[in-house]
Amino acid sequence: MNDQLLSLQALAAPDGTCYGCGCSHPGGLHLQSHWDADGVHLLCRHAPDSTFIGWPGLVYGGLLAMLVDCHSNWTAMAYHYRAEGREAGSLPRIDCVTGTLNLSYLKPTPMGVELLLKARVEGEVGRKTRVLCEVWAGDVLTVSADSVFVRVDTEKLKLKAHGQG
C-alpha cells in the first residue's frame, strides 16, 4: 500500500495497543490520523456506533474525550517527526503522552453523524507541545480542546509506573 494512504498510526506504531488508536488492539477503534492537504492540520474521521451512546441520540462525552486525546497525541507526534525532518515510522520512534486534556463541550454531538477531528500544534514543538483540536459533526463544531502532550521514553515511563524507575 502507498505510504501516502497509510495513517500515522500504521506508519509509526503498527504494533500499537491503545484502545482508541492502536492498530493492533483486537477490539479497539483503530483511529487513523492523516495530514490535511493544508500541511497544518491532522484529520481523523470516526463514526461512533451505538456502543458509545450517552443521552438518547447523543455521543457519550467520554468517547469524545478519548477521540480528542488520541488524535491530539498523534498530532503532537507528527509535528515532532516533521520538526526533525523525519518520516513517521523512522527510528528512533517518537512517543508522547497526555500532560493535560482540556475539552469544552460546545454543543450536543449527535449519533449517526460521522465526526471529523481537526488538530494542529499551537506554538513551538518541544518536550511539551500544545495541541488545539476540534470535533465537527457535519458543519457543527461540537467540541474544542486545548491540551498539552509530553514527549517521553515509553520504556522509562512504564518502569516508573510500576515502581521500578
Side-chain angles (χ1 to χ4, degrees):
M1 180 179 264
N2 182 337
D3 280 357
Q4 299 289 349
L5 302 176
L6 290 176
S7 67
L8 288 160
Q9 292 86 341
L11 290 169
D15 58 345
T17 56
C18 174
Y19 178 79
C21 60
C23 297
S24 294
H25 191 291
L29 299 181
H30 305 134
L31 299 175
Q32 298 183 22
S33 303
H34 298 272
W35 281 104
D36 188 11
D38 70 8
V40 175
H41 294 90
L42 271 83
L43 305 178
C44 176
R45 295 182 184 279
H46 181 71
D49 67 33
S50 61
T51 305
F52 296 102
I53 194 165
W55 291 104
L58 301 179
V59 177
Y60 169 56
L63 173 69
L64 295 167
M66 180 175 57
L67 295 174
V68 167
D69 186 27
C70 287
H71 183 60
S72 296
N73 193 24
W74 277 99
T75 299
M77 290 186 286
Y79 268 78
H80 274 283
Y81 279 108
R82 188 166 74 180
E84 293 180 13
R86 301 193 297 139
E87 293 294 319
S90 62
L91 296 177
R93 187 165 130 174
I94 293 173
D95 290 302
C96 294
V97 296
T98 311
T100 61
L101 186 64
N102 297 304
L103 277 79
S104 295
Y105 296 92
L106 306 172
K107 296 191 180 206
T109 303
M111 291 295 295
V113 176
E114 182 181 66
L115 305 178
L116 172 66
L117 285 86
K118 186 174 183 179
R120 66 178 174 82
V121 164
E122 175 70 21
E124 297 296 315
V125 175
R127 184 175 158 271
K128 294 182 178 182
T129 302
R130 181 179 177 204
V131 177
L132 304 179
C133 184
E134 299 173 337
V135 179
W136 292 83
D139 60 356
V140 178
L141 177 63
T142 66
V143 175
S144 67
D146 185 344
S147 305
V148 174
F149 294 85
V150 183
R151 188 165 176 177
V152 296
D153 176 325
T154 54
E155 282 305 309
K156 288 181 182 176
L157 190 67
K158 181 172 67 175
L159 289 172
K160 188 173 185 176
H162 291 277
Q164 300 169 0

